[in-house]
Amino acid sequence: MRIKLSRMGWNNVLIFASMFMILLFNYSHRMMTQGHESGETNTLVGANTIIQSIDFNGIKIERLGATWRSVSTIELTKPLNTDLIVETWTQQPFVALQSPL
């Protein structure tokens, strides 16, 4: 079975197919993100990511084997709990902000 269309008919088919594809691409992110209710939370750093150093303004925390050390150019009143700081950064949840439409 062959479909016989005039040149104008095929142009209309192409125009509507293009419009459909544009709409599909524009709204596909909504289809993928909405209804995606999973128990896992997004974190700043992935679970399998290896952190070598964290650098704040004047304070740097570096990996030293299996432990951490802090290098500071700022005079601190008490020592840093580097394990707690790194654990907080690796488990910090975040929520992506959506731009208003």
Side-chain angles (χ1 to χ4, degrees):
M1 176 175 180
R2 287 185 63 183
I3 298 175
K4 287 192 174 190
L5 290 176
S6 66
R7 185 179 190 109
M8 185 184 286
W10 281 113
N11 283 343
N12 288 338
V13 169
L14 289 174
I15 289 170
F16 283 108
S18 299
M19 288 173 49
F20 174 74
M21 292 297 291
I22 291 170
L23 289 172
L24 179 68
F25 291 147
N26 281 338
Y27 293 104
S28 63
H29 71 282
R30 289 186 186 169
M31 290 186 288
M32 290 181 188
T33 57
Q34 290 177 350
H36 180 64
E37 302 295 327
S38 64
E40 72 180 66
T41 59
N42 293 331
T43 57
L44 290 174
V45 182
N48 297 329
T49 305
I50 298 174
I51 298 175
Q52 293 296 323
S53 67
I54 299 174
D55 192 2
F56 300 104
N57 193 12
I59 300 173
K60 186 173 186 177
I61 300 173
E62 300 174 332
R63 179 176 288 282
L64 185 63
T67 61
W68 297 92
R69 73 171 175 188
S70 63
V71 180
S72 175
T73 59
I74 301 171
E75 186 176 328
L76 301 173
T77 58
K78 58 183 178 178
L80 295 174
N81 186 350
T82 54
D83 292 329
L84 181 63
I85 292 171
V86 172
E87 182 180 339
T88 301
W89 272 93
T90 56
Q91 296 178 357
Q92 187 65 40
F94 75 95
V95 176
L97 299 176
Q98 296 179 357
S99 61
L101 296 177

